[in-house]
Amino acid sequence: MAEDDLIKQEEADDKLITAAFEKLLTDYQNSRHRKKVDLITKAFNFARQAHKGVRRLSGEPYIMHPIAVAQIACAEIGLGSTSICSALLHDVVEDTDYTVEDIENIFGSKIAQIVDGLTKISGGIFGEQASAQAENFKKLLLTMSDDIRVILIKICDRLHNMRTLESQPANKQYKIAGETLYIYAPLANRLGLNKVKSELENLSFKFEHPEEYAAIESKLASTRASRDDLFNQFTGPIEDALKEMGITYEIKERVKSPYSIWNKMQNKQVSFEEIYDILAVRIIFTPKNREEEVNECFKIYVAISKIYKSHPDRLRDWLSQPKANGYQALHVTLMSKQGRWIEVQIRSDRMDEVAEQGFAAHWKYKDGVEEEYTEDETELNEWLRTIKEILDDPQPDAMDFLDTIKLNLFASEIFVFTPKGEIKTMPAGCTALDFAFSIHTFLGSHCIGAKVNHKLVPLSYKLQSGDQVEILTSKSQHVSAAWINFVSTAKAKAKIQAILRRDNRETQRAGEDMLNNFLKTNGYEPSLALIDQLAEFHGYTKHPEFFLALGEKMVILGEKDLDELSGKNKVETEQGWRKYVPFVGKKKKETFTRQELFVVPEKFNRKKPIFISEDNINQYKFVGCCHPIPGDDALGYINNKNQIEIHKRTCPVAAKLKSSYGNRILDIKWDMHKKLYFDATIRIGGIDRLGMLNEITQVISSQMNVNIHKVIITCEEGIFDGSIEIRVHDREDVKTIVDHLKNIPDLKEVTQIM
């Protein structure tokens, strides 16, 4: 680049950076926090100097990223100067020569602590089996339990990374989007950041399933006019009633997000047109008296239920007992004059701000303006304590650890009472044993049963909202491995696993010794590869589980294991693919030779997509968890044997892999030409009549010329339900068949089983 061009580029960069920082300062000065402009300016200048000359993949100066993160923290979450400074400095220690000690000397211990919590652990120190991603997340949560702002800034950082994800290669996009959906969106939800949660979900959806995202966006745009008409007709009478009551209000149209719509389409197996709750109405009012805001919500509800009939089972009261993330509102579903059920959410302006900005918004409504995090948010602290307890004895396996943390992130709440009448918030679906562990580990580990509403119930009894629970214990009771099957809270699961691990260590050690002795006796030098081979041969994916089975004499090593090690058992262990590519001709079986599985070499470009064609398809492992077929949005995962597994991007196993082992994710493209056949299953249901099954098979076999592999139909009281397994080339074939079947009269449900 010529010198003149360099000068012009620098001038343009300076202009861009200055404008972004001035916008940040303006937003900060308009906020309710203390006016520590000097400290923020000092942090900005320090970060700007530290990142000087560095650019992001998008080409913009790197400092634009910390400014954007600070902007989100300030304007979208409402945090103060400590958080803004930490956001500006969050990448300095990780990406430059400055240390946490340097930050502490210049900006003080609090900012240094937050920056340290946001700094990734350098790789390599946890060994090959450990996931650096999970370790970094663990570190983040550890610091979070001391200062909640760490995770709030991390969420801001993640939101900006998601907003600028186009510049990343596809494999990185899947890794970051998957991690966001699996961990950060539920975290944002748990902290009450509803707006941020929705945007994170939508952006993840957009990058993982671009075609579906575009299709839903297009349908939302095309149905906007009819939605607006419905909204205006529905809210007109409500506005008249609110004006008559003298209430200062605002009525907003809330449209379901593309991700929520897609999620419902997947879970309920329905089309876009069949989703009836795309539109909701939000009434936000300013109370005449802050102490009377709950009463005013109910007064509004009474007024609007005189206009429209309300659904008796759809009243949701989160006023007297808010959700654990601070959310307060009254939800009611009303029947519109157009014959559509519409949900109405009634909340005060304060409740609305808390719903959008989470716990950060609480601080604005406290006496005086508080810069520091206050420790009187009971539910938040209860949750942080649970997180800390899990971290005190974390799972050894990265994916187990993430699962344990995640258990409580999605859970909706119920309210149960202790024998003394104290109220406790618990996740929905929890059992008496979960409740015992939530009170104390000793109580949980010695629990023999419970009295719920004064009636004796077993440990596995599922609690309902309003139950009064008394835990019964015995000193002779010990934790059983079966308990893990009927607890649903992260805390209980973590505690049970910790106790079982402690009990199992001796047995595992004995099993490992038995295995080593067996190998040495038969002339083998013990190694990870041999242990992997034998563990997999016996159906175990993790070494500790295999050692435990050996120690408990559930597995006895013998002649068959020696055959496995010598290769005599290699008949066809990779059965996964046989299921998918059974034949090429319409009737004739294909007799192809299995190719060796592709092994990823040391210097392998993971950014480039892998194209799967008829010629190389047998070089990859198609695992049984999600049965991907051509046309599916798919990704690759480099497993511990350096082979490439193929998963659907929606696969629950893939979701965990993206979150725990993102650096092993690859982009997969299909290059198939309708030569091979794959299994797909279609679920059908409807009103039974003479000739129905014949019509269904006629459409599939005669019209579509598709081979039916298996049919299962059950009929009861005139209603039939069943599934049809067919052989298809790709996802497009399945869609065509489903569309044709939908034209058959009385066939009410036609869905493809994922």
Side-chain angles (χ1 to χ4, degrees):
M1 195 184 277
E3 197 174 328
D4 285 353
D5 292 338
L6 276 171
I7 292 166
K8 280 180 186 172
Q9 182 67 60
E10 279 180 19
E11 285 173 355
D13 287 349
D14 284 345
K15 208 170 179 182
L16 190 72
I17 294 164
T18 305
F21 181 62
E22 281 175 358
K23 171 82 170 69
L24 171 64
L25 275 188
T26 304
D27 284 352
Y28 172 69
Q29 285 170 318
N30 290 336
S31 74
R32 309 181 197 192
H33 290 280
R34 291 184 197 146
K35 307 297 179 274
K36 293 188 181 176
V37 173
D38 292 346
L39 184 65
I40 292 170
T41 307
K42 183 180 173 183
F44 162 68
N45 289 328
F46 184 86
R48 185 178 189 176
Q49 188 57 41
H51 295 299
K52 195 175 173 66
V54 182
R55 292 186 178 276
R56 300 187 84 209
L57 281 178
S58 60
E60 67 179 12
Y62 193 87
I63 187 63
M64 292 299 289
H65 169 62
I67 295 171
V69 175
Q71 178 70 38
I72 294 167
C74 173
E76 296 183 47
I77 298 186
L79 299 174
S81 62
T82 304
S83 303
I84 293 167
C85 290
S86 302
L88 288 167
L89 299 164
H90 80 272
D91 276 337
V92 166
V93 175
E94 192 180 323
D95 295 343
T96 74
D97 294 332
Y98 288 105
T99 63
V100 175
E101 288 73 26
D102 295 329
I103 303 291
E104 187 170 357
N105 292 334
I106 301 165
F107 297 98
S109 60
K110 183 49 74 180
I111 289 174
Q113 181 196 10
I114 295 172
V115 170
D116 185 34
L118 292 160
T119 303
K120 289 186 190 131
I121 301 164
S122 54
I125 57 173
F126 295 101
E128 278 302 305
Q129 298 303 310
S131 158
Q133 262 164 289
E135 293 296 346
N136 283 313
F137 189 63
K138 219 176 278 184
K139 181 188 175 191
L140 189 71
L141 291 178
L142 272 168
T143 322
M144 175 192 94
S145 56
D146 292 324
D147 194 319
I148 194 71
R149 287 174 292 194
V150 173
I151 205 76
L152 291 172
I153 296 163
K154 183 62 189 175
I155 288 168
C156 298
D157 177 41
R158 178 50 58 118
L159 180 56
H160 185 247
N161 282 334
M162 288 301 297
R163 285 173 178 173
T164 56
L165 202 56
E166 306 86 17
S167 53
Q168 294 282 358
N171 66 319
K172 259 297 189 58
Q173 288 179 353
Y174 304 151
K175 175 247 178 190
I176 294 168
E179 196 179 76
T180 300
L181 212 49
Y182 194 69
I183 294 289
Y184 290 102
L187 254 177
N189 182 51
R190 192 61 181 73
L191 293 166
L193 302 166
N194 186 53
K195 204 172 174 185
V196 171
K197 179 210 75 156
S198 291
E199 190 175 350
L200 287 174
E201 287 175 341
N202 280 330
L203 288 168
S204 298
F205 173 40
K206 178 183 173 183
F207 286 104
E208 287 214 278
H209 306 284
E211 288 176 14
E212 285 98 328
Y213 178 83
I216 291 173
E217 283 276 70
S218 168
K219 283 179 178 174
L220 281 173
S222 66
T223 54
R224 184 174 176 176
S226 62
R227 239 184 359 260
D228 287 348
D229 282 349
L230 177 62
F231 174 79
N232 292 331
Q233 288 171 36
F234 180 76
T235 55
I238 293 175
E239 291 208 46
D240 293 340
L242 293 175
K243 281 172 189 166
E244 204 173 304
M245 292 167 75
I247 291 171
T248 306
Y249 69 92
E250 184 184 2
I251 294 187
K252 288 182 180 175
E253 182 179 0
R254 192 231 66 184
V255 178
K256 209 173 184 72
S257 70
Y259 173 76
S260 296
I261 292 169
W262 177 76
N263 220 15
K264 197 160 192 176
M265 285 166 68
Q266 302 303 306
N267 294 336
K268 304 267 186 188
Q269 289 285 307
V270 292
S271 66
F272 178 90
E273 289 70 26
E274 291 171 287
I275 295 176
Y276 294 111
D277 60 346
I278 287 174
L279 173 70
V281 171
R282 198 168 279 164
I283 300 171
I284 302 157
F285 67 94
T286 306
K288 294 164 189 167
N289 178 352
R290 190 64 63 191
E291 290 171 10
E292 288 292 312
E293 62 182 354
V294 169
N295 288 339
E296 285 196 42
C297 282
F298 280 107
K299 282 178 187 170
I300 292 170
Y301 162 60
V302 170
I304 62 175
S305 60
K306 287 176 183 173
I307 305 167
Y308 300 109
K309 287 278 181 285
S310 63
H311 195 301
D313 301 324
R314 296 290 298 274
L315 179 67
R316 301 283 181 268
D317 174 14
W318 284 298
L319 295 172
S320 44
Q321 193 63 53
K323 286 187 181 184
N325 62 11
Y327 181 84
Q328 268 186 298
L330 187 64
H331 290 197
V332 55
T333 303
L334 303 171
M335 177 57 79
S336 70
K337 298 284 192 281
Q338 291 75 28
R340 293 270 297 271
W341 287 111
I342 296 177
E343 185 181 75
V344 179
Q345 302 166 357
I346 306 165
R347 52 171 89 149
S348 70
D349 51 1
R350 180 195 65 82
M351 293 172 191
D352 185 60
E353 204 163 352
V354 170
E356 297 303 317
Q357 294 192 333
F359 282 103
H362 280 287
W363 306 335
K364 296 182 180 181
Y365 290 93
K366 298 192 182 298
D367 294 333
V369 178
E370 301 188 9
E371 179 64 29
E372 294 304 312
Y373 161 61
T374 53
E375 300 213 7
D376 58 355
E377 301 299 349
T378 320
E379 293 293 354
L380 176 63
N381 282 314
E382 185 63 39
W383 181 62
L384 292 179
R385 267 197 296 278
T386 301
I387 295 286
K388 196 149 195 172
E389 282 179 27
I390 295 165
L391 292 164
D392 287 341
D393 193 357
Q395 302 298 309
D397 182 271
M399 280 165 66
D400 283 352
F401 165 72
L402 289 175
D403 274 355
T404 308
I405 289 292
K406 204 171 178 296
L407 267 176
N408 280 12
L409 293 182
F410 273 134
S412 51
E413 298 97 23
I414 61 168
F415 306 104
V416 293
F417 296 90
T418 66
K420 291 182 179 176
E422 292 169 15
I423 195 164
K424 274 191 81 71
T425 305
M426 296 290 294
C430 71
T431 60
L433 188 57
D434 284 305
F435 183 78
F437 273 105
S438 76
I439 295 169
H440 198 279
T441 303
F442 179 86
L443 207 63
S445 56
H446 292 84
C447 178
I448 54 169
K451 279 186 177 177
V452 174
N453 307 325
H454 311 293
K455 287 179 186 172
L456 203 60
V457 297
L459 301 177
S460 57
Y461 180 84
K462 286 199 174 178
L463 301 177
Q464 305 292 321
S465 225
D467 281 346
Q468 189 168 23
V469 188
E470 181 188 348
I471 299 299
L472 307 173
T473 60
S474 165
K475 285 183 181 176
S476 62
Q477 177 71 298
H478 291 289
V479 170
S480 156
W483 287 12
I484 213 80
N485 299 319
F486 51 79
V487 290
S488 65
T489 59
K491 184 174 181 177
K493 221 157 200 151
K495 290 297 176 190
I496 292 166
Q497 284 170 332
I499 294 164
L500 290 173
R501 277 202 308 278
R502 204 162 53 236
D503 294 345
N504 290 340
R505 273 177 203 136
E506 285 302 315
T507 317
Q508 282 175 8
R509 270 197 286 272
E512 191 173 3
D513 290 342
M514 287 161 69
L515 177 61
N516 289 335
N517 291 335
F518 173 79
L519 290 170
K520 284 173 183 172
T521 304
N522 290 287
Y524 291 95
E525 187 58 40
S527 68
L528 275 175
L530 290 178
I531 296 169
D532 273 344
Q533 191 177 347
L534 287 178
E536 194 174 333
F537 177 60
H538 286 283
Y540 293 94
T541 53
K542 295 168 187 170
H543 291 181
E545 291 172 4
F546 183 44
F547 296 150
L548 188 63
L550 288 167
E552 291 177 340
K553 307 284 193 301
M554 288 166 63
V555 170
I556 308 292
L557 297 169
E559 202 66 40
K560 63 187 183 306
D561 297 280
L562 294 174
D563 289 346
E564 170 63 21
L565 293 171
S566 63
K568 286 182 186 174
N569 289 341
K570 286 201 183 250
V571 179
E572 177 71 60
T573 54
E574 308 283 347
Q575 290 174 357
W577 194 232
R578 288 171 111 189
K579 179 175 170 58
Y580 297 109
V581 196
F583 53 95
V584 172
K586 190 73 186 159
K587 304 283 181 198
K588 193 175 127 193
K589 273 208 168 184
E590 164 74 1
T591 53
F592 57 84
T593 311
R594 168 169 283 285
Q595 294 169 279
E596 283 296 312
L597 288 170
F598 175 71
V599 176
V600 175
E602 199 174 321
K603 289 184 178 176
F604 181 74
N605 187 348
R606 299 184 184 201
K607 291 181 183 177
K608 276 191 172 180
I610 285 176
F611 288 87
I612 296 181
S613 66
E614 285 87 353
D615 298 330
N616 67 11
I617 196 162
N618 293 310
Q619 295 180 18
Y620 306 107
K621 285 185 86 168
F622 283 69
V623 284
C625 50
C626 57
H627 302 300
I629 68 171
D632 282 328
D633 287 340
L635 55 79
Y637 165 68
I638 302 170
N639 66 18
N640 290 337
K641 293 181 179 178
N642 282 333
Q643 298 158 344
I644 296 174
E645 294 177 7
I646 310 299
H647 293 265
K648 287 183 185 176
R649 288 182 218 155
T650 49
C651 170
V653 174
K656 295 180 190 178
L657 294 172
K658 285 178 277 189
S659 304
S660 296
Y661 303 102
N663 59 329
R664 300 191 201 173
I665 299 297
L666 305 171
D667 182 23
I668 295 297
K669 305 273 188 214
W670 299 101
D671 184 23
M672 307 292 282
H673 305 91
K674 292 188 182 284
K675 291 179 184 175
L676 301 179
Y677 285 85
F678 302 80
D679 283 351
T681 306
I682 290 174
R683 190 182 158 275
I684 54 171
I687 299 160
D688 192 28
R689 58 174 168 78
L690 199 65
M692 172 63 87
L693 185 58
N694 182 46
E695 282 184 49
I696 292 167
T697 53
Q698 279 291 316
V699 166
I700 297 172
S701 297
S702 304
Q703 286 185 33
M704 306 298 300
N705 199 28
V706 169
N707 185 44
I708 296 175
H709 185 53
K710 189 197 289 183
V711 178
I712 301 169
I713 301 280
T714 57
C715 184
E716 200 172 324
E717 295 179 1
I719 302 295
F720 77 90
D721 187 62
S723 64
I724 302 174
E725 197 174 288
I726 52 176
R727 307 283 196 193
V728 293
H729 293 299
D730 51 31
R731 183 65 56 210
E732 193 183 334
D733 283 0
V734 180
K735 188 181 180 306
T736 308
I737 292 164
V738 167
D739 289 345
H740 276 72
L741 287 173
K742 282 182 176 176
N743 294 325
I744 296 176
D746 298 327
L747 190 56
K748 300 298 181 185
E749 288 180 6
V750 187
T751 55
Q752 187 225 326
I753 296 173
M754 294 296 164

